[in-house]
Amino acid sequence: MSEASRDVETDEELEELLRFLRDARGFDFTGYKRSSLGRRIRKRMTDVGIESYADYRDQLETTADEFNALFNTILINVTSFFRDTDAWTYLQDEVLPELLAQVGHSDEIRVWSAGCSSGEEAYSLAMMFAEALGLEEALNRVKIYATDVDDEALRDARSGLYPAKTLEPLAAELRDKYFEQNGSQFSFRSDLRRRVIFGRHDITRDAPISRLDLLVCRNTLMYFNVEAQTQIIDRFHFALRENAFLFLGKAEMLLNDAERFDVLSMRQRIFRRRPGGTTPPYQPAPLKLRVTNGGELQSVARNRQLRDLILDASPGATLAVDAEGMVVFINNHARVQFGLTSNDTGRPFQDLEISYRPVELRSLIEQATHERRTLRVNGAERRVGEDVQFFDILVQPLVGAGGLPAATNITFTDVTVATQLKSEIKRVREDLETAYEELQSTNEELETTNEELQSSIEELETTNEELQSTNEELETTNEELQSGNEELETMNEEMRIRSEELDEARAFLEGVLTSIAAAVVVLDKDLKVKSWNRGAADLWGLRQDEVLDHAFFDLEFGLPTKPLREVVEECLTSRKRGVPVTLDAVNRLGRSIGCTVQCSPFDGHRGGVVLLMEEGHTDGQG
């Protein structure tokens, strides 16, 4: 077989492996650059000693943990607080004042950190806005959405816990203000943490978060091919308000998008969405159905048809359950809001926490299906840690062909702000009534105004963007080298500490044992043998492994130990060196000797005594 034929076969095997990952686990890597993607997969194959893609697919099918190892290899998470200081300084000094001037004084500021990895970028944004607006105003106005496809990285991000080494890039003032020590790590302050919403999101497939004032996606686009990058930029354009800002990584550029984006700083990769546009609203990918030989649609296609029906009927956080009680659809808002993933699609609804918390939905689904009417639950309370959320829940039965129940659509509308506002109004009214009764003063009328939030739907245009592939490949390699260097530094530090501890212990023991030629026996406070040196073995003929952890006075050898018990116990009690005792004994050669035993208290680990035995004169013959 020629070299070209082998290359074609290898490329086809790689594509087949990518399709398997998409179908088996829902991770679609087909938009990633083949050069860097193939290199990372081959690295993992080399680690497990596999040469062909086909054999590696067999490994994935037989070893469940291998999926996680492969994804961690592909999804390199290299990030830090305020990474690329010059770019963040420009964003804070030049862009942020203009952004704040564009929004109203009381309007919500919406930010999206796409590809947030382990959360450092999202928390950097939170600190930047808190410094610019003041903490109280930031808590009231700023909402930061942080998304990634790596569930393990998202778990680390949600915890908000970081080791001291990770916080080294931060100024001491910011570290003390926004972090507090939690054991050996540091945790991000909880009130500002609640303004950061973490969720799983695939920027190549999932609907974008809309009405944004700032979108940060740094060093993520460079992993995708040109076609995937074009689709992602289309989604980003849709997500941004007019005159909102886009912040990319230092290896990423918008080369052919002058009609939709203005360049604020090409050096720092900061762009602004231009007003206007004539592109159609964002549409999800078209549905493709597969027909079997018998002409019946497979269940996957049926579920996708149900998703289209649900998308048309349910705004906000939405999920759907079919007639058999299986989850057939979870939209992006529901995944972000309730910590669900695309892997939960196809699972029994009763296995999900959302089925019984904040309210028991299974019985409501049965009731709505049986009565064929929509049920509503108002103000359902949901607690997430210290946070309290309130939802209006709509349970809507969907009827398919023939009038038979097809599925149940469940919509969650977040009314937390409205509920909290009502509670605050009630408290203020009670305070006013109390003041009237105590001071006999004039009642003040309390007027409340509900502010309406207007959302605009921007139109999308299709355009091609080309990035310089050589620069991106170098950046990818740098990311991998940095990740490897950090792992090697951690391992070297651990090995150095271990080596120092072992060297110290070894030097101590060798110093003690080599400096004493006589027999030395160490007993713990329970009179069990903890050390039996070479001199003791040579004198009595018992090896250390034969006596270690045995009761000393139960051992049988040439030294009569019974006369020593009183001396040893007195030494244990008084913690003073005893008087030397000379006993008639028989050494390992059977020769009668006079053995002088000196008992001293042992001040080492957990106490005990040290017996020093020296051979005196000999009587008889051995």
Side-chain angles (χ1 to χ4, degrees):
M1 182 182 297
S2 67
E3 187 69 26
S5 298
R6 283 195 296 270
D7 290 343
V8 171
E9 181 178 349
T10 301
D11 291 343
E12 179 57 34
E13 288 178 350
L14 175 59
E15 297 301 323
E16 181 63 28
L17 178 62
L18 296 181
R19 288 192 291 270
F20 168 72
L21 293 175
R22 179 191 63 196
D23 297 338
R25 286 300 179 94
F27 280 85
D28 188 359
F29 294 115
T30 56
Y32 281 57
K33 291 181 180 176
R34 293 300 184 269
S35 57
S36 57
L37 184 61
R39 182 171 61 249
R40 294 180 196 170
I41 294 177
R42 286 193 297 274
K43 178 182 183 300
R44 182 57 196 168
M45 291 167 57
T46 301
D47 292 342
V48 296
I50 294 177
E51 295 183 359
S52 71
Y53 290 118
D55 291 341
Y56 188 59
R57 172 174 173 171
D58 294 338
Q59 175 78 2
L60 290 170
E61 290 178 333
T62 56
T63 307
D65 292 340
E66 184 59 27
F67 276 100
N68 292 332
L70 175 61
F71 294 154
N72 288 336
T73 301
I74 294 176
L75 303 173
I76 295 178
N77 295 314
V78 179
T79 184
S80 63
F81 289 101
F82 296 103
R83 189 182 185 196
D84 299 330
T85 306
D86 291 344
W88 280 92
T89 300
Y90 184 89
L91 180 70
Q92 187 168 3
D93 295 344
E94 305 297 333
V95 177
L96 191 57
E98 186 174 348
L99 185 154
L100 297 178
Q102 291 177 181
V103 299
H105 293 295
S106 60
D107 289 346
E108 181 181 68
I109 301 172
R110 294 167 61 85
V111 183
W112 181 13
S113 171
C116 67
S117 186
S118 50
E120 286 91 332
E121 181 177 270
Y123 293 131
S124 296
L125 288 167
M127 288 186 283
M128 182 184 72
F129 278 98
E131 289 295 300
L133 294 171
L135 183 60
E136 289 301 323
E137 190 171 355
L139 293 175
N140 292 328
R141 297 179 58 194
V142 179
K143 180 176 288 187
I144 300 172
Y145 297 91
T147 65
D148 204 285
V149 295
D150 190 340
D151 291 325
E152 185 175 344
L154 286 173
R155 283 195 295 272
D156 294 339
R158 289 190 180 99
S159 70
L161 291 172
Y162 298 97
K165 184 177 181 180
T166 303
L167 270 60
E168 289 178 358
L170 285 179
E173 179 184 355
L174 293 179
R175 184 173 62 249
D176 296 340
K177 185 175 182 179
Y178 295 103
F179 290 87
E180 59 182 22
Q181 191 159 2
N182 188 345
S184 62
Q185 295 184 304
F186 291 82
S187 61
F188 192 73
R189 61 180 301 157
S190 58
D191 53 355
L192 195 56
R193 159 68 184 85
R194 288 192 287 271
R195 303 305 298 175
V196 184
I197 302 171
F198 290 98
R200 189 185 184 283
H201 183 279
D202 187 343
I203 60 176
T204 65
R205 302 171 63 186
D206 296 330
I209 298 170
S210 62
R211 297 180 289 113
L212 299 174
D213 299 290
L214 172 63
L215 198 163
V216 180
C217 183
R218 310 194 69 232
N219 300 322
T220 300
L221 292 179
M222 63 186 183
Y223 297 114
F224 298 97
N225 58 34
V226 172
E227 180 181 358
Q229 289 175 6
T230 299
Q231 295 174 356
I232 294 170
I233 293 299
D234 287 345
R235 288 171 166 81
F236 286 175
H237 182 265
F238 169 80
L240 291 166
R241 304 180 194 265
E242 291 186 354
N243 295 317
F245 300 93
L246 175 63
F247 185 18
L248 299 180
K250 60 184 179 181
E252 300 161 335
M253 289 185 291
L254 299 179
L255 295 177
N256 299 314
D257 235 324
E259 295 182 358
R260 296 195 298 180
F261 292 94
D262 291 327
V263 178
L264 290 185
S265 172
M266 183 60 72
R267 179 180 179 84
Q268 308 303 343
R269 304 298 192 265
I270 299 179
F271 308 87
R272 176 167 51 198
R273 184 193 188 279
R274 300 185 65 181
T278 57
T279 55
Y282 166 77
Q283 295 291 338
L287 178 65
K288 296 181 180 179
L289 301 180
R290 181 163 58 93
V291 182
T292 63
N293 293 333
E296 296 180 355
L297 295 178
Q298 297 219 1
S299 60
V300 174
R302 178 177 64 85
N303 290 344
R304 290 179 180 175
Q305 287 178 316
L306 290 176
R307 291 177 193 173
D308 285 345
L309 180 61
I310 295 162
L311 280 172
D312 292 335
S314 57
T318 302
L319 59 86
V321 182
D322 66 10
E324 287 75 33
M326 307 299 289
V327 178
V328 295
F329 173 75
I330 306 173
N331 75 347
N332 178 63
H333 291 288
R335 291 197 299 272
V336 173
Q337 188 74 55
F338 301 113
L340 302 172
T341 70
S342 57
N343 293 333
D344 291 320
T345 303
R347 292 180 58 189
F349 180 61
Q350 64 182 10
D351 292 348
L352 303 181
E353 180 183 355
I354 195 66
S355 68
Y356 58 85
R357 188 176 297 167
V359 295
E360 174 56 61
L361 290 174
R362 291 166 292 188
S363 59
L364 293 176
I365 291 174
E366 293 178 0
Q367 180 182 351
T369 303
H370 178 71
E371 298 178 1
R372 297 198 176 190
R373 67 183 181 91
T374 299
L375 302 180
R376 178 185 293 273
V377 178
N378 293 325
E381 179 179 325
R382 177 174 182 260
R383 292 187 175 271
V384 182
E386 298 179 359
D387 294 340
V388 180
Q389 301 172 330
F390 296 92
F391 294 92
D392 286 349
I393 304 174
L394 201 66
V395 182
Q396 179 182 16
L398 303 175
V399 179
L404 297 176
T408 303
N409 183 38
I410 307 169
T411 303
F412 299 81
T413 302
D414 191 342
V415 295
T416 303
V417 175
T419 303
Q420 292 175 344
L421 183 60
K422 292 179 182 178
S423 177
E424 183 67 16
I425 291 173
K426 181 179 179 181
R427 187 188 64 80
V428 172
R429 182 174 296 157
E430 291 175 352
D431 290 344
L432 290 174
E433 291 175 353
T434 302
Y436 174 77
E437 294 174 356
E438 293 176 352
L439 302 175
Q440 296 296 318
S441 62
T442 304
N443 286 325
E444 298 179 358
E445 296 183 357
L446 180 64
E447 297 179 354
T448 60
T449 304
N450 293 324
E451 299 179 340
E452 299 179 355
L453 299 177
Q454 299 179 348
S455 61
S456 59
I457 302 176
E458 293 88 3
E459 300 177 347
L460 295 173
E461 289 180 352
T462 304
T463 187
N464 292 325
E465 182 208 340
E466 298 179 356
L467 293 177
Q468 299 175 347
S469 60
T470 302
N471 188 30
E472 294 173 348
E473 288 295 332
L474 289 174
E475 185 64 22
T476 302
T477 302
N478 288 337
E479 298 284 358
E480 295 172 348
L481 289 174
Q482 182 175 345
S483 177
N485 287 338
E486 291 177 356
E487 294 177 0
L488 289 174
E489 289 177 2
T490 302
M491 293 175 61
N492 287 337
E493 181 65 16
E494 293 176 352
M495 292 180 65
R496 184 187 65 78
I497 295 173
R498 289 282 183 86
S499 179
E500 290 178 355
E501 293 174 349
L502 289 174
D503 289 344
E504 183 180 353
R506 186 182 295 109
F508 173 77
L509 291 176
E510 289 179 353
V512 171
L513 295 178
T514 56
S515 62
I516 301 176
V520 177
V521 178
V522 179
L523 307 182
D524 62 13
K525 64 179 182 180
D526 297 323
L527 303 183
K528 292 184 178 181
V529 178
K530 304 307 292 183
S531 179
W532 184 275
N533 77 340
R534 184 187 297 271
D538 292 342
L539 182 61
W540 305 119
L542 292 177
R543 300 189 308 275
Q544 179 170 285
D545 59 352
E546 295 177 316
V547 299
L548 200 62
D549 290 326
H550 286 69
F552 176 73
F553 291 103
D554 291 342
L555 298 177
E556 295 183 0
F557 59 102
L559 179 70
T561 59
K562 185 175 181 181
L564 293 175
R565 180 181 289 274
E566 183 177 353
V567 176
V568 171
E569 291 178 348
E570 173 62 24
C571 184
L572 274 175
T573 303
S574 65
R575 306 307 297 164
K576 296 180 180 179
R577 180 179 295 179
V579 178
V581 178
T582 300
L583 302 174
D584 293 331
V586 179
N587 65 12
R588 67 181 180 86
L589 301 177
R591 177 181 299 170
S592 297
I593 62 172
C595 182
T596 301
V597 182
Q598 174 75 56
C599 183
S600 302
F602 180 57
D603 296 329
H605 181 61
R606 299 182 180 176
V609 298
V610 179
L611 300 179
L612 178 66
M613 307 173 185
E614 294 183 290
E615 182 178 353
H617 62 277
T618 60
D619 294 326
Q621 307 212 357

